[in-house]
Amino acid sequence: MIGPSSSSAELIAHLQTLRSEENISGMARFGIVTETALGISNSDLRKIARTVKQSNGRALELWQGNIREARLLALYTAEPQKLTADLARTWSDNFHSWEIVDTAADLYVEAGLKALIPEFAADDREFVRRTAFAMIASAAVHLKNEPDDTILAWLPLIDAHARDPRNFVRKAVNWALRNIGKRNLHCHARACTVAERLAASDDRTARWIGKDTVRELKSEKVIARLERKSATR
């Protein structure tokens, strides 16, 4: 039985008992890397995370287990207030799956590691670069008290990497630009300017990012939501 004081070894042993070959096959269809997967859903992993105490030491041990579910559990149970940039860099060196990246991005933003965004964006490794833009996407939504200028300062990074054709990068760049545009009317206007410029690009990837972003940001649904949000301030 697992509990607040369970060790990493006990948690990994428990995870092994929940292995599902059927779920592993299903995950592969969503582009999830399943080489080390046990087939445990994220919702079930979050339930396990809620039963144990946060611990960076144990999270590091879970990460070193090199099992998909153990690494997600490490990210769910790390202590954001104690997470260092060096540990984030170490974990990012092992990124090879979009779902791990996106979960880590939320944690890094919560931990206040925004300064890593330009560094990760400059890294040519596909999943490390994705981390930068997943962090921007997360920050635009979750850092509600952060000045807009902080968020908008990342637009040049989006512009600079909008021509990276790799699937997991281009989708994250697109995601980041859309989330900035949906933050509020001020950010919407700035994001649309970037999106329209990209939409007119000769580069296929940049053009796709721009057109897809413009399509969403200029939809009646998004504009109506932003106007309602502005009116209630």
Side-chain angles (χ1 to χ4, degrees):
M1 190 71 178
I2 61 170
S5 59
S6 293
S7 67
S8 59
E10 289 170 332
L11 287 169
I12 290 173
H14 177 66
L15 293 175
Q16 295 282 7
T17 68
L18 303 177
R19 184 182 181 93
S20 169
E21 296 296 335
E22 181 180 354
N23 287 351
I24 291 173
S25 297
M27 289 175 177
R29 291 195 293 271
F30 289 95
I32 293 172
V33 176
T34 59
E35 292 175 2
T36 65
L38 300 174
I40 305 170
S41 71
N42 287 12
S43 60
D44 285 341
L45 287 172
R46 290 190 186 96
K47 289 177 185 177
I48 295 171
R50 287 195 290 269
T51 69
V52 301
K53 293 188 295 185
Q54 289 184 332
S55 167
N56 274 2
R58 186 180 57 210
L60 186 56
E61 293 172 354
L62 286 168
W63 187 270
Q64 292 170 338
N66 193 26
I67 298 170
R68 168 195 174 266
E69 286 75 6
R71 287 189 166 179
L72 284 171
L73 195 57
L75 297 171
Y76 290 147
T77 59
E79 301 170 87
Q81 68 277 17
K82 296 181 180 179
L83 190 70
T84 66
D86 283 342
L87 181 55
R89 292 187 184 100
T90 296
W91 282 350
S92 300
D93 284 340
N94 301 138
F95 287 166
H96 64 283
S97 178
W98 66 264
E99 61 160 352
I100 296 287
V101 167
D102 296 356
T103 303
D106 285 340
L107 174 63
Y108 294 175
V109 168
E110 186 179 357
L113 299 178
K114 301 186 299 297
L116 289 175
I117 289 174
E119 176 183 329
F120 286 161
D123 196 305
D124 194 51
R125 289 172 292 178
E126 182 173 8
F127 289 103
V128 179
R129 182 168 289 171
R130 180 184 174 91
T131 306
F133 295 100
M135 287 178 69
I136 293 173
S138 179
V141 173
H142 298 297
L143 299 187
K144 300 184 185 303
N145 295 324
E146 193 74 26
D148 286 345
D149 285 348
T150 300
I151 309 298
L152 294 171
W154 294 318
L155 286 174
L157 288 177
I158 289 172
D159 220 347
H161 296 288
R163 291 154 188 81
D164 189 326
R166 292 174 295 181
N167 186 51
F168 294 109
V169 175
R170 71 185 182 95
K171 286 187 174 181
V173 172
N174 172 258
W175 180 24
L177 185 55
R178 286 186 289 112
N179 275 13
I180 290 175
K182 291 186 288 186
R183 181 176 170 90
N184 55 44
L185 286 173
H186 175 53
C187 290
H188 180 269
R190 294 284 299 277
C192 282
T193 297
V194 173
E196 288 168 346
R197 182 168 63 251
L198 293 177
S201 172
D202 291 335
D203 182 86
R204 181 179 180 181
T205 300
R207 192 164 60 248
W208 173 80
I209 290 171
K211 287 183 176 180
D212 188 69
T213 300
V214 168
R215 185 182 305 112
E216 179 171 6
L217 294 187
K218 295 207 169 181
S219 68
E220 292 182 2
K221 181 179 179 180
V222 168
I223 292 174
R225 182 180 66 79
L226 292 176
E227 288 177 343
R228 287 196 301 271
K229 182 177 180 180
S230 178
T232 58
R233 284 189 171 184

